[in-house]
């Protein structure tokens, strides 16, 4: 294996999602050649899988400034900065345009199967940092390929590795066998086939974050529609109900996210969903009619449900980086220097401290995990955080350490105080009640997503911190 000189090589970016494409734009701006490798057949492939969900971040918060600069000569203009895009609009109107501008720097249908140092597995020290990275690829037709890189930015996200229903972090007993009635995504109830699956049915929603709020709001809207009579949600919460259960309400500086939590509260208050608290799923059993019975660790058994929607967060798949020397927090699976800044026991999306290349660095010089994947299992990620990450990383790769170290980011505060799987303690319950949420939040109605350009106060909200 004859590897070329490192300085002649591109920076490989894994993933053509929002952060991966932003990374490529920043590298181009720095005069460094990127090569973006995307497993999907289109840019933003993962985002397109939740195309029906509206973000709780506005267009003004989900377009990277340097990417916008790169797009400007094409005549591209950003949609109304105050409007909330859906995932599909984000992908079609921005991500695809950015990928088109990058042109041959973006390769689609290309799956990265492993990254290492040329001629060095993770055990070998000799001349390690002088060797370029070697990236192994597979194509849709089964063909394999190997290429070299001067640095690697893994922005592949966590979409393909959702958390299980089981509260131990492992799939509950019987969960895999019940896959025909379980989904790990917010269902698109505008799709007639999917709508029929949930209409008039009893559906359990497991999770306590923005995605769970979205699913509950969608099911409530279905229950109120002409074809959805009898639709019922059962909201499964691992924790008890406290002041922060429904998010920040009017106290949330991302108003659409606050509205989303209030819509979930309305679903419960209006009887379209029943909340079951302190339920940590241990097993999924089949009833005699094929429906599913959820069993808790404490032995409680819920009445049978027709469907289960599991929205317990995501986790990083780090297998493709297994031959590299990474320094990861033992709990979050995030870079060790970053972990305390994003710990969901202490932080929500808006209280994350600015961070860049130094917090994202590893013992393996030249490799960075960025975007949602850099947060490991923490549910506190926002797109604008990822954009600042890759701005700093691109500057560091280009050798501009002054710019790379100048990390500045102002985030909106949130009323969401913790992750879905945290245990209640008297202290956190008291803090939740006193701090994050408005004591009597005002209900904001959610409905069918409005078109891009609609006034912000009329725009429904959905999505997740990863938006």
């Amino acid at each position: 294996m004859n590897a070329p000189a490192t300085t002649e090589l591109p920076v490989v970016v894994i993933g053509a999602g929002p952060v991966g494409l932003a990374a490529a734009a920043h590298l181009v701006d720095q005069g460094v050649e990127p090569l973006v490798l995307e497993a999907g057949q289109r840019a933003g492939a993962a985002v397109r899988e939740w195309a029906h969900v509206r973000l709780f971040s506005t267009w003004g918060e989900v377009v990277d400034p340097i990417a916008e600069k790169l797009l400007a000569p094409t005549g591209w203009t950003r949609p109304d900065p105050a409007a909330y895009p859906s995932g599909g609009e984000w992908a079609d109107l921005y991500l695809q345009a950015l990928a088109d501008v990058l042109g041959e720097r973006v390769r689609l249908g290309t799956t990265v199967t492993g990254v290492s140092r040329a001629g060095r597995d993770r055990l070998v020290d000799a001349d390690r940092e002088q060797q370029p990275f070697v990236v192994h690829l597979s194509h849709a037709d089964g063909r394999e390929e190997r290429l070299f890189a001067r640095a690697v930015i893994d922005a592949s996200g966590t979409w393909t590795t959702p958390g299980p229903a089981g509260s131990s972090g492992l799939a509950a007993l019987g969960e895999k066998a019940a896959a025909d009635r379980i989904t790990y995504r917010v269902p698109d109830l505008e799709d007639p086939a999917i709508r029929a699956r949930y209409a008039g049915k009893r559906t359990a929603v497991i999770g306590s974050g923005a995605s769970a709020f979205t699913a509950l709001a969608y099911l409530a809207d279905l229950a109120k529609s002409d074809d959805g009579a009898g639709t019922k949600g059962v909201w499964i919460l691992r924790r008890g109900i406290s002041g922060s259960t429904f998010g920040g309400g009017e106290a949330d500086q991302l108003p659409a996210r606050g509205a989303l939590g209030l819509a979930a509260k309305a679903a419960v208050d209006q009887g379209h969903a029943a909340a079951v608290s302190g339920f940590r799923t241990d097993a999924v059993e089949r009833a005699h009619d094929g429906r599913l019975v959820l069993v808790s660790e404490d032995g409680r058994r819920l009445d049978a449900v027709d469907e289960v929607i599991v929205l317990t967060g995501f986790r990083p798949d780090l297998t493709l980086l297994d031959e590299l020397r990474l320094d990861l927090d033992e709990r979050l699976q995030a870079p060790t220097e970053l972990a305390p800044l994003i710990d969901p026991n202490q932080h929500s999306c808006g209280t994350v401290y600015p961070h860049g290349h130094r917090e994202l660095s590893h013992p393996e010089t030249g490799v960075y995990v960025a975007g949602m994947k850099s947060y490991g299992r923490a549910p506190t990620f926002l797109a604008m955080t990822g954009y600042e990450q890759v701005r700093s990383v691109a500057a560091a790769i280009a050798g501009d350490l002054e710019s790379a170290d100048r990390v500045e980011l102002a985030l909106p505060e949130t009323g969401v105080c913790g992750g879905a799987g945290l245990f209640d303690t008297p202290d956190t319950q008291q803090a939740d009640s006193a701090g994050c949420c408005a004591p009597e939040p005002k209900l904001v109605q959610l409905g069918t997503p409005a078109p891009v350009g609609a006034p912000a106060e009329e725009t429904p909200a959905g999505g997740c911190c990863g938006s």
Side-chain angles (χ1 to χ4, degrees):
M1 176 168 57
N2 296 317
T6 302
T7 55
E8 302 171 2
L9 298 173
V11 174
V12 162
V13 179
I14 306 174
V19 175
L21 292 173
H26 281 276
L27 288 166
V28 170
D29 190 62
Q30 289 282 351
V32 177
E33 192 64 18
L35 178 59
V36 182
L37 304 175
E38 167 60 46
Q41 296 302 316
R42 301 176 69 187
V47 173
R48 294 178 189 278
E49 292 195 28
W50 50 271
H52 58 290
V53 177
R54 193 163 294 281
L55 282 69
F56 54 60
S57 297
T58 65
W59 274 111
E61 295 161 336
V62 298
V63 173
D64 177 82
I66 293 299
E68 187 171 9
K69 173 184 171 183
L70 187 64
L71 284 164
T74 71
W76 185 88
T77 56
R78 181 173 55 182
D80 179 1
Y84 296 89
S86 67
E89 290 162 349
W90 197 21
D92 288 338
L93 300 182
Y94 169 59
L95 300 180
Q96 189 59 56
L98 183 52
D100 290 344
V101 165
L102 290 166
E104 293 183 355
R105 296 182 175 104
V106 180
R107 292 191 192 177
L108 302 174
T110 305
T111 301
V112 176
T113 57
V115 181
S116 186
R117 289 281 189 179
R120 308 289 188 276
D121 64 20
R122 66 187 299 167
L123 292 176
V124 178
D125 292 333
D127 298 323
R128 186 176 189 85
E129 292 195 3
Q130 283 67 54
Q131 305 305 313
F133 292 97
V134 59
V135 182
H136 283 219
L137 319 172
S138 66
H139 298 271
D141 60 4
R143 180 170 51 92
E144 294 183 315
E145 184 183 357
R146 179 178 63 207
L147 54 83
F148 299 97
R150 61 184 288 188
V152 175
I153 301 173
D154 183 354
S156 58
T158 58
W159 180 252
T160 60
T161 47
S167 59
S168 63
L170 304 174
L173 297 179
E175 182 174 345
K176 294 178 181 179
D180 59 315
R181 290 180 181 260
I182 300 178
T183 184
Y184 298 85
R185 308 287 188 263
V186 176
D188 181 3
L189 298 184
E190 296 302 310
D191 182 310
I194 297 175
R195 189 177 184 87
R197 176 174 173 175
Y198 296 94
K201 304 293 179 59
R202 178 178 164 87
T203 299
V205 178
I206 303 177
S208 62
S211 294
F213 294 166
T214 303
L216 290 165
Y218 283 7
L219 290 172
D221 283 346
L222 177 59
K224 291 180 280 190
S225 67
D226 292 340
D227 62 340
T231 302
K232 183 75 172 179
V234 182
W235 188 16
I236 310 299
L237 292 152
R238 293 176 179 174
R239 293 183 286 170
I241 294 179
S242 67
S244 66
T245 296
F246 297 99
E250 291 181 309
D252 198 321
Q253 290 187 24
L254 287 176
R257 180 172 51 198
L260 185 61
L262 297 178
K265 184 177 188 302
V268 175
D269 290 346
Q270 296 171 6
H272 301 301
V276 180
S277 62
F279 191 97
R280 306 183 73 83
T281 307
D282 185 60
V284 180
E285 299 178 356
R286 289 274 187 181
H288 67 278
D289 57 1
R291 296 195 299 164
L292 303 181
V293 175
L294 301 182
V295 184
S296 176
E297 289 178 346
D298 60 12
R300 280 183 291 165
R301 303 171 62 87
L302 300 184
D303 291 341
V305 296
D306 299 282
E307 301 286 342
V308 178
I309 302 173
V310 180
L311 300 167
T312 56
F314 295 84
R315 54 190 54 184
D317 180 357
L318 297 163
T319 54
L320 65 89
L321 305 178
D322 196 47
E323 288 303 320
L324 299 177
R325 297 174 178 181
L326 305 183
D327 184 12
L328 299 173
D329 180 75
E330 62 184 9
R331 295 180 303 122
L332 294 183
Q333 296 179 288
T336 300
E337 294 298 318
L338 176 60
L341 307 182
I342 61 174
D343 186 345
N345 290 284
Q346 304 294 331
H347 295 285
S348 59
C349 301
T351 64
V352 170
Y353 294 104
H355 57 276
H357 75 108
R358 295 196 184 278
E359 291 80 10
L360 298 173
S361 295
H362 292 279
E364 195 78 68
T365 304
V367 61
Y368 302 91
V369 180
M372 178 77 84
K373 191 169 183 177
S374 72
Y375 274 41
R377 299 193 182 201
T380 46
F381 180 79
L382 289 171
M384 62 184 91
T385 309
Y387 295 159
E388 181 62 10
Q389 285 182 341
V390 294
R391 185 208 61 78
S392 174
V393 166
I397 291 173
D400 185 358
L401 291 182
E402 181 181 354
S403 176
D405 286 338
R406 191 175 61 249
V407 182
E408 299 176 356
L409 183 65
L411 293 172
E413 293 182 4
T414 173
V416 181
C417 294
L422 305 180
F423 281 94
D424 283 322
T425 66
D427 289 340
T428 57
Q429 288 181 12
Q430 182 176 2
D432 288 350
S433 299
C436 290
C437 304
E440 294 194 22
K442 177 182 177 182
L443 173 63
V444 180
Q445 183 63 44
L446 269 73
T448 304
V452 169
E457 64 270 17
E458 296 177 3
T459 308
C464 58
C465 287
S467 295

